[in-house]
Amino acid sequence: MRRFSAFAIAREALRHHKGWEKQWVSPEPKASYDVIIVGAGGHGLATAYYLAKEHGITNVAVLEKGWLGGGNTGRNTTIIRSNYLYDESAGIYNHAVKLWEGLSQDLNYNVMFSQRGVMMLAHNVHDVQVFKRHIHANRLNGVDNSWLTPEEAKEFCPPLNISKSARYPVMGAALQRKGGTARHDAVAWGYARKAHAMGVHIIQNCEVIGINRGADGAVTGVETTRGTIGAKKVGVVAAGHTSVLMQMAGIRMPLESFPLQALVSEPVKPCFPCVVMSNTVHAYISQSDKGELVIGAGTDQYTSYSQTGGLHIINHTLDAICEMFPMFTRMKMLRSWGGIVDVTPDRSPILAKTPVRGLYVNCGWGTGGFKATPGSGHVFAHTIANDAPHRINEGFTLERFRTGRLIDEAAAAAVAH
Ligand code: FAD
Ligand code: PYC
């Protein structure tokens, strides 16, 4: 009897949730909008939300070829931090951390932001030097980051093996206490619900297959699998598929797309208190609120649109995890998946106007864009509304790949990319 009523409660909750979802996803597109956003991932939905909230632009549609949050937003391992090296990066990722801190209240939706600390392990002298350089640079930029000895690292994360005879001995760690995780799909749903409440249309199963331009070259709208839709401005926020979309407007992008994988274990009681990342062994781990260990691997070494990556990559990751955290050796893995990330030559994003009037692009977040979601949406909305960048995204131009003024954050995501 008890089991049945628990089931009935869950079924009612689901029914309520489904009906409620239908209220904020608009089924039919209008003939035209002021702004069209292509891609209903976290960044696209956040852009639409801030266009409405900060700039009063509500005649907006977000077009999504699949379902909202079904791209990298719903596939990522949710690590949030801002311990990047360069000023431009510290600026945008720390802007995002500040917005994360108030996001659940802002959206009136619990995105489960949890500042449990992100610890990056150093396994050799090079790691030690690089992380210490990051710590100094971060502090100058007002980003919290501190150095831990192996013993202090173990105290912060008791399951960590700091034996000197380990295959990847721990020589210390950089800890950002304000880093942590959030619930990825809640972020997409929270932005979608609030944007919809302000008048934004969110149209799923609507793939953009062409970008239309007038005689003067400016954008006039898009061709979609549901017909032509007019727009004064179009923002492309399509992660791994940006090159394909921008090609429709005749723009060649400095991007390559790679599969990136993650996996989760069976759920267990709370046993892992923080996030641990290891650049050298391409493995990172945290525990979700459901109890699963969330484990991420490096990217494949070849470009591809396959949404599964090479099995040898996750096997290598699991070897490393078991060596660093021997208590997980007998854990069962539940499922693995991949997403397509788009990577720029300097591993920093592009958030900018394009040479086509009325066309804007937000891409190149590679393996690390989830953490930026609120900051990215906020400054991209500013860029579209004002036809000029916000001071925070001024450096993230397309032109930098011609002028050479790069923001070289290679290895910043602490995974292979
Ligand atoms: P997406 O969520 O991918 O949204 C883009 C949307 O565009 C998709 O829904 C797609 O269907 C849609 N689209 C594409 N083409 C079209 C079209 N022609 N018409 C209409 N719609 C279209 N980042 C972190 O910060 N921390 C992490 O721990 C982390 N872990 C990761 C782990 C994995 C396995 C992966 C794959 C990524 C990870 N990332 C992480 C990166 C992060 O997920 C992405 O940078 C971020 O989610 C990008 O968000 P987005 O909104 O730009 O893209
Ligand atoms: O950018 O922190 C990160 C990250 C972790 C896993 C993938 N990306």
Side-chain angles (χ1 to χ4, degrees):
M1 184 61 194
R2 277 184 64 138
R3 276 182 60 203
F4 175 76
S5 51
F7 172 74
I9 290 165
R11 192 186 52 202
E12 275 316 296
L14 194 64
R15 187 179 292 154
H16 172 71
H17 173 77
K18 276 190 176 155
W20 169 72
E21 186 196 54
K22 280 197 198 104
Q23 288 167 26
W24 43 268
V25 176
S26 319
E28 287 307 323
K30 293 198 295 189
S32 79
Y33 293 89
D34 289 339
V35 180
I36 282 178
I37 301 295
V38 184
H43 290 235
L45 292 163
T47 305
Y49 168 67
Y50 293 114
L51 276 170
K53 181 187 172 212
E54 306 270 321
H55 306 281
I57 302 173
T58 56
N59 186 18
V60 176
V62 184
L63 309 183
E64 168 54 51
K65 73 173 177 181
W67 64 97
L68 74 85
N72 288 339
T73 297
R75 294 161 189 266
N76 83 91
T77 47
T78 82
I79 297 173
I80 296 170
R81 59 189 174 83
S82 57
N83 50 356
Y84 284 72
L85 186 61
Y86 289 102
D87 296 350
E88 291 88 342
S89 320
I92 194 157
Y93 290 107
N94 225 26
H95 180 51
V97 167
K98 287 187 191 133
L99 289 171
W100 279 115
E101 285 173 341
L103 196 60
S104 294
Q105 288 76 11
D106 190 15
L107 299 178
N108 189 24
Y109 197 101
N110 189 359
V111 300
M112 298 168 86
F113 180 49
S114 156
Q115 290 176 297
R116 58 186 70 180
V118 173
M119 193 165 79
M120 290 179 155
L121 302 179
H123 298 285
N124 50 48
V125 174
H126 174 77
D127 284 353
V128 173
Q129 290 170 346
V130 167
F131 287 159
K132 286 191 173 171
R133 182 181 177 211
H134 269 73
I135 289 168
H136 296 309
N138 287 165
R139 287 190 176 174
L140 289 172
N141 273 318
V143 175
D144 76 297
N145 201 354
S146 48
W147 180 252
L148 303 186
T149 62
E151 292 70 27
E152 288 167 337
K154 186 162 177 68
E155 201 181 327
F156 192 71
C157 182
L160 181 65
N161 172 17
I162 56 166
S163 160
K164 286 197 172 54
S165 62
R167 192 182 316 168
Y168 311 105
V170 175
M171 295 178 70
L175 172 65
Q176 183 176 22
R177 288 180 192 274
K178 285 195 173 179
T181 56
R183 175 80 208 168
H184 50 9
D185 37 20
V187 174
W189 296 336
Y191 274 122
R193 187 177 72 149
K194 205 67 190 275
H196 175 79
M198 288 188 287
V200 170
H201 282 187
I202 298 162
I203 300 156
Q204 303 184 102
N205 299 315
C206 182
E207 180 172 355
V208 171
I209 50 176
I211 293 179
N212 296 331
R213 296 166 66 180
D216 62 355
V219 157
T220 57
V222 293
E223 289 301 322
T224 79
T225 46
R226 292 169 71 168
T228 306
I229 310 177
K232 295 179 193 144
K233 295 181 176 181
V234 173
V236 172
V237 201
H241 303 88
T242 315
S243 299
V244 180
L245 276 146
M246 297 300 281
Q247 192 67 49
M248 295 172 192
I251 299 175
R252 189 159 169 251
M253 296 296 287
L255 291 168
E256 287 184 314
S257 296
F258 294 90
L260 177 68
Q261 295 179 84
L263 61 160
V264 288
S265 72
E266 60 190 332
V268 287
K269 286 194 172 161
C271 61
F272 201 79
C274 58
V275 180
V276 176
M277 306 182 69
S278 169
N279 186 12
T280 301
V281 299
H282 302 147
Y284 46 99
I285 181 166
S286 65
Q287 187 172 22
S288 75
D289 293 297
K290 287 193 284 183
E292 301 159 332
L293 297 177
V294 181
I295 298 172
T299 53
D300 276 22
Q301 267 133 24
Y302 300 99
T303 52
S304 151
Y305 282 112
S306 152
Q307 287 192 334
T308 58
L311 192 58
H312 63 289
I313 294 182
I314 44 179
N315 280 339
H316 164 83
T317 297
L318 287 176
D319 283 351
I321 292 289
C322 291
E323 168 95 5
M324 292 188 294
F325 305 102
M327 76 179 207
F328 294 143
T329 312
R330 291 169 59 203
M331 291 277 292
K332 303 263 186 304
M333 291 302 128
L334 209 58
R335 60 180 189 278
S336 73
W337 64 91
I340 309 298
V341 298
D342 53 359
V343 173
T344 59
D346 65 358
R347 276 47 181 175
S348 285
I350 301 166
L351 276 144
K353 293 173 66 170
T354 73
V356 172
R357 192 144 49 84
L359 183 64
Y360 307 82
V361 69
N362 179 343
C363 64
W365 293 98
T367 59
F370 176 70
K371 65 175 79 64
T373 305
S376 157
H378 188 254
V379 298
F380 195 50
H382 176 105
T383 306
I384 295 174
N386 298 291
D387 197 35
H390 189 284
R391 73 179 160 74
I392 290 178
N393 64 313
E394 256 169 1
F396 297 105
T397 62
L398 251 176
E399 288 79 50
R400 74 180 190 270
F401 301 102
R402 191 171 45 76
T403 62
R405 201 180 167 77
L406 303 179
I407 305 164
D408 200 349
E409 290 283 0
V415 285
H417 68 187

